[in-house]
Amino acid sequence: MRITFVLQYYHPYVGGLESLSSHLAEGLAQRGHQVQVITTHLPDTPLHETRNGVQIKRVRTPRFADRYFFILLGLPAALRAARQSDILHTAPYAGALPGFISAALAHR
């Protein structure tokens, strides 16, 4: 399956939800699924990378209020990913709205 996670933050950001998401995404990748994450670009991180089988695509946002900018600026990337995915998974906060809208528009 092709699975996309739309998350406000992801590795290397450290938090409970980020740790859970990282373990889940990497576990699915280890089982042979294509997994990608759409997330906020953090300082000193590449825009694109593959980590433990998970493709990570980071969206540039202004550092000021990046949580709110991710809702708007992450939507195009989430929509592109949704059209190529079987499942979209998101979480509360800023990833939920672009994830939900993308899934609805892509009928996922």
Side-chain angles (χ1 to χ4, degrees):
M1 288 179 49
R2 295 166 299 177
I3 303 165
T4 296
F5 288 78
V6 181
L7 304 166
Q8 174 183 347
Y9 295 122
Y10 191 73
H11 181 82
Y13 190 92
V14 177
L17 181 58
E18 293 76 22
S19 295
L20 171 68
S21 299
S22 179
H23 286 103
L24 181 58
E26 291 173 12
L28 289 166
Q30 287 175 355
R31 287 172 177 76
H33 299 289
Q34 267 187 321
V35 181
Q36 70 175 322
V37 173
I38 308 297
T39 189
T40 304
H41 180 254
L42 299 172
D44 301 322
T45 60
L47 287 173
H48 302 281
E49 73 173 305
T50 300
R51 181 178 182 273
N52 297 326
V54 177
Q55 295 177 5
I56 304 168
K57 297 181 181 180
R58 295 185 176 93
V59 177
R60 289 180 200 243
T61 59
R63 289 300 305 151
F64 171 77
D66 64 350
R67 167 178 287 177
Y68 304 106
F69 281 106
F70 181 73
I71 294 170
L72 296 174
L73 300 176
L75 186 57
L79 185 54
R80 280 191 301 276
R83 290 181 177 143
Q84 300 172 1
S85 298
D86 298 309
I87 295 175
L88 240 77
H89 179 28
T90 189
Y93 311 116
L97 193 55
F100 175 78
I101 292 170
S102 298
L105 292 174
H107 305 288
R108 302 295 187 265

